[in-house]
Amino acid sequence: MSLHFDLLFLHDTLVAVNVFLKFVHNCKAYSSSTEKKTFPYKSARFYAFAVLSIVFFFDCSYASLHKKWNRISHRYEPAIVAIEIDVLLPLFSEKPGLARGTGLVIDASKGLIVVNQQVSRFGKISQAQAKFFNEQIVPIKLVYQDPWHDFAVFQYEVELVSFSIPKITFQDSRTIAENQNILALSHDWNQGISLVEGKVKNPFTVHAENKIGRYSESIDTGGSLSGALLGSPIFTQKGKVIAFHCHDSNKESIAISSLYVRDVLTYLPHKTPPRGDMGISLDIENVFRAEEFYALSPLYVPKDSIGKPTHPFVIKMTRCISSQPTCQKLLPGDILLAVRSLMGPWKNIGQQVYDFDRWMDQHVGQNIEIKISRMGKEMVYSIPIVDAYKNIPKKFMTFAGATFHELTPTLQMIYDIKKSEGIYISDTLQGSSFGNSTMYGKLLEKFSGLSIDSFDDLKSIFIQQKNHSKTYIETIDYYYTSTVPSIQYIDLEIERFPLTLYVWDSLQGNYILKDKV
């Protein structure tokens, strides 16, 4: 690959020099002719040299950029791994089976690899492995899944890898500029490592997959990284990682800021990073739109921002979890201005989504004060910061071909569920008692006429059932605008699909079988 770019650079240079010499020769011929000249010969030579120097400069710069990307790829290819993860029993109605993507070794001394969460998913993992640039395949285990942001961290045994892996340096994504050149390095399981060049379209945006949950500070490459695999690290020309590719469409390519990954490195693999949350979903709004439509005070609109290509933003609330205290105080459209610990100094929020996230992580379990703007009126509320890991189920069970787990705050927010407790049908197997119709993605209300209030209640009811007993369940489909109740009659195939209980085991990095009835 290095030889290819060296030859390309040499070819482009020779072509530019050849064109330049021909153009100067034509200028000399023109100056020696007897025709009337509209400008002196020296001017012609000067302009020819100036124009072609510019062409030569950009041509060489283009080839030089290719060489730079090639050097970065060659240096970091030992750290770019292909990821293959097979999820046997998924949670949150995610797809079961095999998924592939790209991972990055973020700490070779500990064997830590960051992976996109759409590849790892939540649930019982049957197999997870990583392939290095030399085709070596090693098993990996899950050591961390972020409850909000789109990444997870796996670990391999360091003793299994004998070659040297370079240290990764992270760069604050907020320091990059619009139209800056960037490079995504992808590692396909079958085709190896590839380079995808692009440019930054918007150096600041927010994103959450499927518009769910609290948004993560990200960058938008405007589709220029189309073709990069999920989890691909994005490098600057200085060889620093600024983001990780997490979403691709015809109009945009989104990459989550590397700052979120950098922060967890100080804790892993033996400690769990703190993750705080208010139970709200966020978005950003242009300050001028906020001033016009949300009556934001002009005091919060920077005067020096007028005329700049990218105007400042403010953070606004878009959705909240109905059962949590925050939802009784904040409303959609509220602009978040500042936060502080009780009686502490105010910290302005502005457009700093990442700083706001990190501040909440530092105040888990505490009550804080938040200052908001609601249609031009400033208000201050006391809000509890809850543990965001409540979004990840610690246990689940399967019965008669269906997977059940507790209702989480994330699901409450997605479907605007008013109740704080309940049982969610995450997945069903085709051909099983629950697989004769599309029954997953629903909230279980009653089983055989009995109300389901908790995980343990449902387990007790399941234990009492007999093989091929006829019964029915009542479920509710939650949508953004309405709820649809339904009743389904089923024939329980317990011998084929018995009751099994799985619990999370941090040492194994997986859900393990705890009980089988």
Side-chain angles (χ1 to χ4, degrees), residues 178-211:
E178 187 176 345
N179 291 322
Q180 182 171 328
N181 292 309
I182 52 177
L183 173 72
L185 290 180
S186 294
H187 191 163
D188 183 88
W189 190 268
N190 296 316
Q191 299 179 6
I193 297 177
S194 61
L195 290 72
V196 183
E197 301 177 35
K199 289 181 178 291
V200 176
K201 177 183 178 182
N202 185 357
F204 172 74
T205 186
V206 290
H207 174 76
E209 191 65 23
N210 299 322
K211 306 297 182 183

Side-chain angles (χ1 to χ4, degrees), residues 300-354:
Y300 296 98
V301 181
K303 302 302 179 184
D304 61 350
S305 65
I306 299 177
K308 291 186 177 181
T310 302
H311 300 303
F313 295 88
V314 290
I315 301 175
K316 69 177 180 180
M317 194 196 88
T318 58
R319 176 176 295 202
C320 64
I321 300 175
S322 301
S323 63
Q324 294 196 9
T326 305
C327 209
Q328 313 306 320
K329 300 176 180 180
L330 302 187
L331 299 176
D334 285 348
I335 305 296
L336 279 57
L337 301 177
V339 290
R340 70 175 182 179
S341 55
L342 295 182
M343 305 308 294
W346 285 106
K347 177 181 177 61
N348 291 329
I349 297 175
Q351 67 177 31
Q352 303 302 327
V353 176
Y354 163 75

Side-chain angles (χ1 to χ4, degrees), residues 17 49 51 108 111 175 223 226 234 239 265 306 335 342 361 394 408 473:
V17 171
F49 180 79
V51 170
T175 62
S226 178
I234 297 177
L265 275 177
I306 299 177
I335 305 296
L342 295 182
D361 294 342
K394 298 300 182 184
T408 65
I473 62 172

Side-chain angles (χ1 to χ4, degrees), residues 264-466:
V264 304
L265 275 177
T266 58
Y267 298 90
L268 299 177
H270 303 299
K271 296 182 180 180
T272 302
R275 280 286 188 257
D277 190 63
M278 293 184 181
I280 60 177
S281 181
L282 305 176
D283 201 352
I284 57 173
E285 188 66 76
N286 183 288
V287 291
F288 299 111
R289 283 180 52 85
E291 184 181 24
E292 178 72 20
F293 300 111
Y294 295 94
L296 179 67
S297 170
L299 296 175
Y300 296 98
V301 181
K303 302 302 179 184
D304 61 350
S305 65
I306 299 177
K308 291 186 177 181
T310 302
H311 300 303
F313 295 88
V314 290
I315 301 175
K316 69 177 180 180
M317 194 196 88
T318 58
R319 176 176 295 202
C320 64
I321 300 175
S322 301
S323 63
Q324 294 196 9
T326 305
C327 209
Q328 313 306 320
K329 300 176 180 180
L330 302 187
L331 299 176
D334 285 348
I335 305 296
L336 279 57
L337 301 177
V339 290
R340 70 175 182 179
S341 55
L342 295 182
M343 305 308 294
W346 285 106
K347 177 181 177 61
N348 291 329
I349 297 175
Q351 67 177 31
Q352 303 302 327
V353 176
Y354 163 75
D355 288 342
F356 180 60
D357 286 343
R358 191 173 185 183
W359 192 88
M360 284 194 293
D361 294 342
Q362 297 168 351
H363 294 81
V364 177
Q366 302 178 26
N367 274 22
I368 59 95
E369 288 186 331
I370 184 167
K371 183 188 297 184
I372 65 157
S373 172
R374 181 178 297 162
M375 297 310 296
K377 184 178 180 180
E378 292 189 8
M379 303 177 181
V380 175
Y381 290 107
S382 176
I383 301 293
I385 303 297
V386 300
D387 187 357
Y389 289 106
K390 293 181 179 179
N391 288 294
I392 304 177
K394 298 300 182 184
K395 56 186 177 181
F396 68 90
M397 58 182 159
T398 62
F399 179 71
T403 302
F404 306 84
H405 64 76
E406 293 176 310
L407 179 64
T408 65
T410 297
L411 293 170
Q412 290 177 256
M413 180 183 293
I414 296 172
Y415 301 115
D416 193 24
I417 300 174
K418 308 300 181 184
K419 59 191 301 185
S420 59
E421 294 183 349
I423 300 298
Y424 182 73
I425 306 177
S426 173
D427 187 37
T428 58
L429 295 174
Q430 292 184 348
S432 69
S433 303
F434 287 87
N436 296 326
S437 63
T438 306
M439 299 179 62
Y440 62 88
K442 300 181 181 181
L443 198 65
L444 181 61
E445 290 286 298
K446 293 182 179 181
F447 188 94
S448 297
L450 300 175
S451 296
I452 307 300
D453 297 321
S454 68
F455 189 88
D456 291 335
D457 287 345
L458 182 60
K459 179 182 175 183
S460 299
I461 293 174
F462 283 166
I463 291 176
Q464 299 173 15
Q465 305 304 308
K466 295 182 179 181

